[in-house]
Amino acid sequence: MITSFIHRFSSPKSFVEVTARFFSYVMYLGLFLLATGWIWGLAFAPEDAIQGNSYRIIFLHVPASIFAQLIYFFMAVCALMHLVWRVKLAAYLIKSSAPVGALITFIALFSGSIWGIPTWGTWWQWDARITSTLILFIMYLGIITLHSSFSNAEKADRLMSILVVVGVVNIPIIKKSVDWWSTLHQPASITISEAPSIDLSMLYPLLISISGMGLTLIALGILISKLYIITREKTKKWVQNYV
Amino acid sequence: MINLLTHEAFKLRHRLRAWLGPLLIMVLVLIAFPLSIDVSQYDLNKFYFSIIVVSLLVISFLATESIFSEDYEDGSLEQIYLEEKDFYKVVLTKISIYIFFIGIPMSLIGSLFSFANGVAADETPKIFVILTFSTLILFNIFSFGSALSINKGAMLGVLVSLPLALPVIVLLGRAIRTVQYGEGFIEVLSLLAGVGLILAAVMPIIISATLKTHLE
Amino acid sequence: MQLITASNLGYSINENRLFHNLTFSLETGCGLHIKGGNGSGKSTLIRILLGLTSPSKGEVVFFKPNLNISYLGHKNAIKQYLTPLQNLELIFAPSELDDAMTWMQTFGLTKVQDEMTATLSFGQQKKLALIRVLGKSSDLIVLDEPFVGLDDLSRDLVSQFLCSRLADGTSLVLTSHIDPGIPCVELILSEQSND
Amino acid sequence: MFNFAFSSLHHFLIMDGHGIYVWPVYLVSILLISIGFQVTIRKLKALSKKIKDA
C-alpha cells in the first residue's frame, strides 16, 4: 500500500507540474528574506565585541554550512527511497541536488576560510568542522562524477544511491574522528536545547538569512531538477506536451 | 568455498603485477622518504610513521584497484554470477585473499621499517597488529570504491572512496600515537578491530549489490 | 515440456526503447535463434533470459527451479595471463576435466595448451572459451554469436554437437548472423520507432 | 535594534579594515548562486526549444 501511495505522488510529471505552480513564490520569498537578513546583518546588527566587523560573514557562512549538510541528508532520504521502492523521481532529485550541495558547500568553505584570516590569522586549519566540510565537498564531487561517468542512466541512478547511503553513514564517523583533533571553532551558535549564546539583534537577521538561503536553494533545486527531469524523459509524451 | 579460495589465490598469484607491484612500491616509498630529507635535522622516529600511514593509504588503493575490474572486463564476473547467483561469497573471498597476499605483507613491511627507524623491538608487534587491522578496513573501503568505479578509472575511485578512508587515517594516526606514548593502546586497538570486523562483514553485501548493478 | 516463457517483455535504455511486447516460450529440447540487426537488442534479450538484466516491462518465468545454464557471451571469460590448461582447471571440476581435454584435442589446441593464452589467435581463444559450454552438461545452453572467428571445420563440429545436445533434451538459445544449421525456432527483433 | 551600526557610508564599506574580507565573500557567493540560476534557466530554454522543434 505504501508503495502504491509513493508511486502515485512521485511521478516526475506531477513533480514538475506541482513545483512549477509555486516556484516563483519560493524564489521571490527566498530572495526577499535573504536580502532582508543580509542587509539587516551587514548594516544594522551591532558590532561583535571580540571579532569586530568581520563576524558579519556569519550571515552567509552559517546558512551555507547548515544547508551543505541538510542537502546531503535530503539526498540520503531520496537514495533510500530509490533503493527500497525504486522511485525514479528520488534518483532525479539526488542527481539534481548534488550540484546545489556542492555549490553551497564550496561557499561554506570559501566564506569560512576568508573569515579565518582576520579571526584566526590563517585561512586554513585542519580543524574538525573545516575538515569534515571539505570531505563533504569531495563526497558531492564524487557523486556528480559517478553519475556522469555511466552512459546507462538507470544503472548510474542505482550506483549513485548506494554511494549516497554509504556516505551518510560516514558523516557522523568523520565528525567523531576529526573531533579528536583540537578544535578551533566556537561551539555552534544556535542550539535547540540551550539558550542561544548570541545576542538577539544578531540572532534575528541570522535566522532570517537561514530561511532565505533555504528557500533560495530550494528554488534553485526545483529549477535544476526540472531541467534534469525534462532531459531524462524527453522522449515521453507528457514532456512534449508540457514544453 | 575452499574451491573459491584456491581459485582466487591461484589467479592472484599469477598476476605478479597485481600483488608484488604494490609491495615493491611500498618498500620504495619507505626507502625514498628518509633519503629525501635531511636526516640529521629531524627526529626520524617521531614522524616516520606518518609516511607509513600515508603509503599504507595509497598502496591499499593501488592494490585493490583491479580487484573486480579484471574479472569484470573478461566476462568472468557474469559466469560467476550465473553459477553463484550472489556475489557475497566471491567478494568475501577476494578481499580475504588480497589481504592475505598484499595487506599482511604490507603491514609486515611497515612494521619492519618502523623497527629500523627507532621503534623498540617489543613495540614492533603492536605496530604490526595496528597496521593489519587498518589494511582490513582500508581494503574493504577501497574495494567498494573500485567496485563502484569498475573500469572507469582511478579518478572516480579516489573521489568516491577517499572520504570513507580519511577517518580511518585519523584513527590509525591516533593508534600509532598510543604506541609512542604507551597509553590507551588496547582501547584504540579494540576500536580498530571492531570497525574492521564490522566492515569486513557489511562491505561485501554492499559491494555485491554494486557489482550486480554493474552487470545489468 | 515448457522450460521458459517470456510474456510482454520490453526493454528500454535511457528511455529509448529497444524492443517491446515480446512473447515467446522455449520447450525442453528445442532451440531458439534470436535474429536482428545490430543494436536491435539481441544481447540484451539474452542477458534478460539469463537473469543478469531485469526487463523494463513483462517477465520471464522459468519452469524448472535451479536451472543449470551454460553461457558464452561476447566476452570470453578466459584469463589471458594463464595457459589454456590452467584456464580449464579453473573452469572445470577435476571429474569434468577429461571431457574438456577431449575438446581441446578436437579443436587442435593440445599443442598450445601450455602457452600463455594471450599469445593465442582470436579463433583459438574463442574455441577455448567455447569449451566452457561444450564440456559441461546443462539444461540450457545460451550462446551469443558463438561462430564468430571460427573456421568452417570447427563451426560444423560445434553445430553437430549442439544438434546432438538438442536431441538429448537440452534447450538452446543463440544469436548468430551465420545460419547455424541447427533446427531452431526463429525470433526476429526488428527496429522499432519510438512512439 | 534598527540603528545603522556605522557612523557613515564610508565606514560601512571599510568596516574597520574588515570590509575587504566581508564584501568579497558576499559578492562571490551572490555571483555563484546567480550563475547557478542563470545557467539553469538558459539550458532549460534551449532544451524546451529543441524538444519543440523536434
Side-chain angles (χ1 to χ4, degrees), chain C residues 69-150:
Chain C
I69 305 177
S70 35
Y71 162 70
L72 185 66
H74 293 286
K75 295 172 175 174
N76 281 337
I78 49 176
K79 299 289 168 197
Q80 299 284 334
Y81 52 85
L82 297 177
T83 68
L85 202 57
Q86 287 170 328
N87 265 306
L88 293 183
E89 281 165 358
L90 278 186
I91 297 169
F92 291 99
S95 57
E96 303 167 313
L97 210 55
D98 281 343
D99 268 357
M101 288 313 291
T102 322
W103 276 104
M104 285 282 274
Q105 218 138 30
T106 321
F107 279 146
L109 291 175
T110 326
K111 59 179 185 294
V112 290
Q113 69 177 17
D114 291 322
E115 281 177 37
M116 211 52 105
T117 306
T119 62
L120 266 53
S121 77
F122 181 80
Q124 284 173 317
Q125 292 192 19
K126 190 77 189 180
K127 284 183 202 166
L128 179 61
L130 272 169
I131 295 178
R132 172 195 291 274
V133 172
L134 304 176
K136 272 195 176 153
S137 60
S138 49
D139 306 315
L140 173 65
I141 296 178
V142 181
L143 295 168
D144 198 352
E145 293 292 347
F147 302 119
V148 171
L150 291 192

Side-chain angles (χ1 to χ4, degrees), chain A residues 218-236:
Chain A
I218 289 173
L220 182 59
I222 288 174
L223 213 54
I224 294 182
S225 46
K226 183 177 170 188
L227 171 67
Y228 186 65
I229 289 171
I230 292 181
T231 318
R232 277 284 289 270
E233 309 222 323
K234 60 175 169 250
T235 54
K236 294 248 171 102

Side-chain angles (χ1 to χ4, degrees), chain B residues 135-179:
Chain B
T135 45
L136 178 66
I137 302 176
L138 287 176
F139 272 48
N140 274 292
I141 288 173
F142 284 131
S143 299
F144 170 63
S146 76
L148 266 184
S149 64
I150 220 165
N151 80 350
K152 298 288 174 191
M155 190 192 98
L156 181 60
V158 169
L159 271 182
V160 299
S161 48
L162 205 62
L164 301 170
L166 285 180
V168 184
I169 292 306
V170 177
L171 197 61
L172 179 54
R174 183 80 172 188
I176 282 176
R177 247 188 292 166
T178 63
V179 174

Side-chain angles (χ1 to χ4, degrees), chain A residues 42-43 45 53-54 56 59-60 227, chain D residues 5 12 16 18 25-26 29 44:
Chain A
L42 283 170
N53 278 317
S54 66
R56 290 177 201 277
F59 303 109
L60 172 63
L227 171 67
Chain D
F12 180 48
D16 297 333
H18 287 158
V25 169
Y26 277 88
S29 306
L44 205 53

